[in-house]
Amino acid sequence: MQARHPHIGPPADQHSSTSPHERDPLDAASPPDSSCPTPGTCNHRNPPDPDRYDAVLFDWDGTLVNSHPLNFRGLSRACASWGLTMDESFYTSRIGTSGAELISELAAATGTHVPIDEVVAQCLDLILDEIAELQTFQPVVQLAETLHGRLPLAIASGGARRAVHAGLDATGLRPLFTDVITGEDAPRGKPDPGLFLLTAARLAVAPARCLVYEDSTEGVKAAKAAGMDVVDVRCFRT
């Protein structure tokens, strides 16, 4: 018998006898390849069986919440105050990288010296000013809600601790998660696997027994380097 898979697809159509709210996300249909970042090679049509795992790890930014608009505005405004121009294409191409690393890269590329910690702190203040506007990706949230109580769930985010915790409170998602690991907890950000390995250690779970949900190339690389199975949520988070 084929196992059920932890995947969320689009809502039931109007001819279905079951409403979207009544459907179990683990049984939902797969999304079209047109929304997948790697059509033909992505495993979204055959994601792993949750019974194979002892814990599920979720990235935060771009996976559970649509925080990238807030993060970009905060970063670009903070950088501008120090004479740096944060282009949106540069930011988008480095999604999954910590704010401090982005600022460092931008400063190095332009030969500009800025106090990284001060720019990051200013960026965080700007993000927190808008945190009430943070929106969730409901398909991924519904997945976490379905898995809650079945397996330990944790946040493994390269984001700043203040921003992630404020976001968890603003969205009401905190009760779903056993632990929350953020960028300050690991010496290097994704694609380094350290953040995921630390999260597994905190949960007392072997890395090979962890399933990761991610939205960035850096995050997927980090999860694989940690020896974990990973599902790219870009194909079904909208």
Side-chain angles (χ1 to χ4, degrees):
M1 180 178 68
Q2 186 174 7
R4 297 190 302 170
H5 301 305
H7 176 76
I8 295 176
D13 62 34
Q14 60 184 350
H15 301 294
S16 172
S17 60
T18 305
S19 73
H21 299 292
E22 294 173 337
R23 299 185 70 188
D24 182 348
L26 300 186
D27 287 329
S30 299
D33 275 347
S34 61
S35 62
C36 178
T38 54
T41 61
C42 178
N43 69 348
H44 74 266
R45 292 195 181 278
N46 188 32
D49 174 3
D51 293 333
R52 292 169 47 197
Y53 303 96
D54 294 328
V56 180
L57 316 185
F58 288 84
D59 173 54
W60 176 249
D61 295 297
T63 298
L64 286 158
V65 292
N66 185 20
S67 55
H68 294 321
L70 273 67
N71 292 345
F72 172 69
R73 286 197 296 272
L75 270 171
S76 61
R77 290 170 184 171
C79 285
S81 69
W82 293 90
L84 295 174
T85 299
M86 174 73 71
D87 184 82
E88 189 167 5
S89 62
F90 171 77
Y91 171 80
T92 302
S93 71
R94 303 293 282 116
I95 283 177
T97 306
S98 72
E101 289 175 298
L102 282 175
I103 296 164
S104 296
E105 288 181 24
L106 186 59
T110 58
T112 306
H113 297 284
V114 299
I116 303 299
D117 291 344
E118 290 185 39
V119 182
V120 169
Q122 184 176 349
C123 170
L124 284 175
D125 288 339
L126 292 167
I127 291 171
L128 294 180
D129 285 345
E130 299 186 40
I131 202 68
E133 300 177 20
L134 186 62
Q135 300 294 312
T136 62
F137 286 118
Q138 274 304 300
V140 188
V141 169
Q142 290 168 6
L143 173 59
E145 290 172 341
T146 300
L147 293 173
H148 179 59
R150 297 174 59 175
L151 291 169
L153 310 182
I155 298 290
S157 169
R161 183 180 295 117
R162 286 173 61 201
V164 175
H165 282 277
L168 283 165
D169 291 334
T171 57
L173 296 180
R174 185 181 296 277
L176 294 176
F177 301 100
T178 301
D179 210 340
V180 179
I181 310 300
T182 61
E184 290 94 329
D185 297 313
R188 290 178 296 277
K190 303 168 186 176
D192 186 90
L195 196 67
F196 286 124
L197 293 173
L198 175 60
T199 307
R202 288 268 288 264
L203 295 175
V205 174
R209 297 287 297 175
C210 294
L211 174 62
V212 175
Y213 283 86
E214 261 285 356
D215 79 302
S216 70
T217 300
E218 286 82 0
V220 169
K221 288 180 179 177
K224 290 181 177 179
M228 301 176 181
D229 288 343
V230 57
V231 173
D232 191 328
V233 304
R234 285 175 285 186
C235 38
F236 64 88
R237 70 182 177 187
T238 55

Short mmCIF file of all heavy atoms in Angstrom, two decimals, residues 1-5 45-46 49:
data_model
loop_
_atom_site.label_atom_id
_atom_site.label_comp_id
_atom_site.label_asym_id
_atom_site.label_seq_id
_atom_site.Cartn_x
_atom_site.Cartn_y
_atom_site.Cartn_z
N MET A 1 0.86 -1.20 0.00
CA MET A 1 0.00 0.00 0.00
C MET A 1 0.88 1.24 0.00
O MET A 1 1.81 1.34 0.80
CB MET A 1 -0.90 0.00 1.25
CG MET A 1 -1.83 1.22 1.32
SD MET A 1 -2.91 1.15 2.76
CE MET A 1 -1.74 1.36 4.08
N GLN A 2 0.58 2.19 -0.85
CA GLN A 2 1.39 3.39 -0.95
C GLN A 2 1.07 4.32 0.21
O GLN A 2 -0.08 4.54 0.56
CB GLN A 2 1.11 4.11 -2.27
CG GLN A 2 2.01 5.30 -2.49
CD GLN A 2 1.81 5.90 -3.86
OE1 GLN A 2 0.91 5.48 -4.57
NE2 GLN A 2 2.64 6.85 -4.22
N ALA A 3 2.11 4.87 0.84
CA ALA A 3 1.92 5.75 1.98
C ALA A 3 1.37 7.09 1.54
O ALA A 3 1.60 7.54 0.43
CB ALA A 3 3.25 5.96 2.71
N ARG A 4 0.67 7.76 2.46
CA ARG A 4 0.21 9.11 2.19
C ARG A 4 1.39 10.06 2.31
O ARG A 4 2.32 9.83 3.06
CB ARG A 4 -0.89 9.51 3.18
CG ARG A 4 -2.13 8.66 3.07
CD ARG A 4 -3.24 9.25 3.88
NE ARG A 4 -2.84 9.37 5.28
CZ ARG A 4 -3.55 10.04 6.18
NH1 ARG A 4 -4.64 10.67 5.81
NH2 ARG A 4 -3.16 10.09 7.43
N HIS A 5 1.33 11.19 1.58
CA HIS A 5 2.46 12.08 1.55
C HIS A 5 2.11 13.45 2.11
O HIS A 5 1.01 13.94 1.89
CB HIS A 5 2.95 12.26 0.10
CG HIS A 5 3.35 10.96 -0.53
ND1 HIS A 5 4.28 10.13 0.04
CD2 HIS A 5 2.94 10.35 -1.66
CE1 HIS A 5 4.44 9.06 -0.73
NE2 HIS A 5 3.65 9.18 -1.76
N ARG A 45 5.60 15.81 -6.58
CA ARG A 45 4.54 14.84 -6.88
C ARG A 45 4.74 13.54 -6.11
O ARG A 45 3.90 12.66 -6.13
CB ARG A 45 4.51 14.56 -8.39
CG ARG A 45 4.04 15.76 -9.19
CD ARG A 45 3.67 15.37 -10.61
NE ARG A 45 3.25 16.55 -11.36
CZ ARG A 45 2.02 17.06 -11.31
NH1 ARG A 45 1.11 16.51 -10.53
NH2 ARG A 45 1.72 18.12 -12.02
N ASN A 46 5.84 13.43 -5.41
CA ASN A 46 6.07 12.23 -4.62
C ASN A 46 6.87 12.58 -3.35
O ASN A 46 7.96 12.08 -3.12
CB ASN A 46 6.85 11.20 -5.44
CG ASN A 46 6.95 9.86 -4.72
OD1 ASN A 46 6.04 9.49 -3.98
ND2 ASN A 46 8.05 9.16 -4.91
N ASP A 49 7.03 10.28 2.99
CA ASP A 49 6.03 9.82 3.95
C ASP A 49 6.42 10.31 5.34
O ASP A 49 7.52 10.02 5.81
CB ASP A 49 6.00 8.29 3.90
CG ASP A 49 5.10 7.67 4.95
OD1 ASP A 49 4.43 8.43 5.69
OD2 ASP A 49 5.06 6.43 5.05
#
